[in-house]
Every structure is written in structure tokens, then in C-alpha cells.
Amino acid sequence: MSSSTQAPEVLISEVGPRDGLQSVATTMPTAAKQRWVAALHAAGLREIELGSFVPARLLPQLADTGELIAFARGLPGLATLALVPNRRGAEAAIAAGAHKISLPISVSEAHSLANVRKTPQAMLEELRSVLALRREQAPDMGVEVGLSTAFGCTLQGAVDEDAVIRLALACAEAGADDVGLSDTAGMANPAQVRRLFTRLRQELGERAGAAHLHNTRGLGLANCLAAYEAGVRTFDASLAGLGGCPYAPGASGNVVTEDLVFMFEAMGVRTGINLERLLAARAPLREGLPQEALYGMLAEAGLPKGFQA
């Protein structure tokens, strides 16, 4: 089964070069990152989060984000995405030529203070400042918000669902192009995911954004399926399951891109991604991070007999 000749029905946004690499101690060489990104593009991925514009002393693994964006802009049809925590980061992303930026805003105040040293309300003001900058300098650049800890927080505990929706509405009213939900701490379950994304879509319509889900407790694919059934059509994932949030204790394990693509393709949902080439993209990742553990059930079991990738 292949999606290579038909229009994709879902968008898989690869977050490994940012969310994955920020969580490992080793700094992957820029040339190795470029080979990895080129392999991901060759597999059919059309949106890749390439890094984050934060001080290099905080995340030296991502200090070359601008250089990586410049490289990726030369790959046809690829949307380059960068995470920015504030206006200064947005300025750097604009200078680098990023097609889209993502602003993380935590629903949990405890996580927000640990992650960006600001309250959720202060981050809402930061979003307004970033959107003003976009209007002035880069009107064609996309600005999305990912609501972190939307399903629970290892620091705070339970997160009120009404608070999630209120913050999502505030971000949309401020002018964000779309607002997605992130299971930063890997605490979500399928019923919760379906319920919250259903509410989000009822409130925001097409401005309800991506599902960023983790496999920390083994529910990553089940949660993605629940989000799909609730109408979500954009999913973040990381090749080989690399990554997590360094400011959310125990939040290891992004959804494995290969396993997610396989699930959708096996269901007949087109992703536009060639699975054999996607599995091959693990090789430059392994070469760039030879000491890092790579995960994924599909890579271990292989494609089923007769499955057309």
C-alpha cells in the first residue's frame, strides 16, 4: 500500500531534529543533521521541525538551527519549522528564513515556569508580541501554538480541561494561525485525547492544530488514533522515537514516526511517505548519534509480506 501517488490525507510533521535532539546529551554534527534531514525529505516528509532558537548555552545541541534551516530551504516542497520561546527567538527565525514558527505555551504554570521562566499569561503576551513582529517583518510566515501539558503535568499533576480550552481560545483570538495540543508528560489516554480534541475543534474549527503525543506509557499510537477519529489531520512524530521534554521529568518517548506512518498506511489513510525510505532514514540518524538508543516496532519487525511501501 502506497501513498506516493495520491494526495496525503494526514500531515506527519517530523520533530526529531528539534524535540529529539534537544533531549540527548550528544551534539549531532551539522553535516550529519543535513544528511538526516535530506533522507527524511527523500522519504516524503514535507514538514520538519529543524530546531529551536534559544541561547546556545541552554541547548548547545540546537545551536546550528539557522544553518540547518538554510540547508533545508534548498529541498523542494519542504516546510521548515522552528520552535521559538519568545520574540527574540522569532526574530532569529525570521532572519533564518523559517517558513513557520511554533510557540510553546504551557497550560500548567509549574511547567511554564520551569520551561520558559514565564507564566502562561506572560507567554500569551509574548505570543501577541511575536504576532505583531510577524505583521511587520514576515507576513507570510506561519505562527502556530502548541499547548504544552494539555493532558497532565509531572510537576503540577492534573490539568483542568476547561483551562486548556480557555487558553486555546485566547491564543486563537490573539491571532495564532492554529493551536494544537501536546501531551508533554506522556500522561494522556485515548478517551481524554478524543474528548479534548473534539472540544478544541468545536471551538476553533480548522484552526485546531496538531496532536503532539508521547509514547511514555505505551499509549502513543492509541492516542494518535483517538485524535484522528476526533478530526485531527496533523501529527507530530519523531524518527526512532527520539526525544521528550527536558523540563518535564520522566517525559521520554515521542511517537515513533515509522510506526505512526505504518498505522495510517495500513488503515488506508494516505501520508505521502514511503515507508522503506523512511526506515532507511534511520541510518544517517544512527551514524550521527552512534551511542543513542533508537526505538520503533516497525524497524524491529519489518514490513509485512506483500505490503507495498
Side-chain angles (χ1 to χ4, degrees):
M1 189 178 298
S2 172
S3 62
S4 59
T5 59
Q6 297 174 297
E9 296 173 76
V10 295
L11 172 66
I12 307 298
S13 182
E14 173 63 43
V15 300
R18 195 278 301 176
D19 199 3
L21 296 184
Q22 75 173 15
S23 304
V24 299
T26 306
T27 297
M28 190 173 182
T30 302
K33 290 184 185 181
Q34 292 174 346
R35 288 191 292 271
W36 181 28
V37 168
L40 291 168
H41 175 262
L45 283 151
R46 289 300 175 259
E47 180 173 288
I48 302 178
E49 190 177 43
L50 294 159
S52 178
F53 287 101
V54 298
R57 61 182 171 78
L58 296 178
L59 285 175
Q61 306 94 316
L62 306 182
D64 58 354
T65 295
E67 189 176 347
L68 197 58
I69 287 173
F71 167 80
R73 282 184 62 92
L75 299 174
L78 179 63
T80 59
L81 175 62
L83 182 139
V84 304
N86 49 37
R87 183 184 174 105
R88 182 177 297 178
E91 290 170 348
I94 290 171
H99 293 111
K100 185 193 294 187
I101 59 174
S102 178
L103 206 73
I105 301 183
S106 299
V107 186
S108 158
E109 184 161 331
H111 179 264
S112 189
L113 291 170
N115 192 34
V116 293
R117 299 181 183 178
K118 293 180 181 177
T119 66
Q121 282 305 119
M123 281 301 294
L124 189 57
E125 290 304 313
E126 200 70 45
L127 170 64
R128 293 189 178 103
S129 179
V130 166
L131 289 165
L133 179 70
R134 192 253 301 261
R135 286 192 296 272
E136 297 164 6
Q137 297 188 16
D140 294 331
M141 184 181 69
V143 177
E144 66 179 30
V145 170
L147 292 187
S148 306
T149 64
F151 300 94
C153 174
T154 50
L155 299 172
Q156 174 181 302
V159 171
D160 180 58
E161 293 185 7
D162 290 340
V164 175
I165 298 302
R166 282 195 301 272
L167 188 54
L169 282 168
C171 292
E173 288 167 1
D177 297 330
D178 58 72
V179 184
L181 302 180
S182 301
D183 184 23
T184 313
M187 296 170 71
N189 65 72
Q192 181 188 24
V193 168
R194 187 179 294 107
R195 182 172 63 246
L196 204 47
F197 269 110
T198 297
R199 289 187 64 183
L200 186 72
R201 290 183 60 78
Q202 286 172 345
E203 295 289 349
L204 299 187
E206 292 306 308
R207 293 172 74 187
H212 181 105
L213 302 167
H214 283 199
N215 196 44
T216 312
R217 293 170 176 84
L219 294 179
L221 288 183
N223 288 335
C224 285
L225 182 57
Y228 176 80
E229 291 171 345
V232 176
R233 293 297 180 267
T234 301
F235 297 84
D236 292 353
S238 179
L239 196 80
L242 200 66
C245 177
Y247 301 105
S252 60
N254 283 298
V255 169
V256 176
T257 305
E258 310 92 295
D259 294 352
L260 181 64
V261 171
F262 174 72
M263 180 186 78
F264 280 133
E265 291 288 340
M267 291 169 57
V269 177
R270 296 186 298 275
T271 65
I273 296 170
N274 182 291
L275 274 166
E276 290 179 345
R277 291 180 181 176
L278 186 63
L279 288 168
R282 292 168 65 100
L285 173 58
R286 188 179 297 280
E287 290 165 8
L289 291 175
Q291 306 304 317
E292 242 5 88
L294 304 185
Y295 303 97
M297 302 302 290
L298 182 66
E300 184 175 335
L303 290 166
K305 186 176 181 180
F307 190 94
Q308 298 298 312

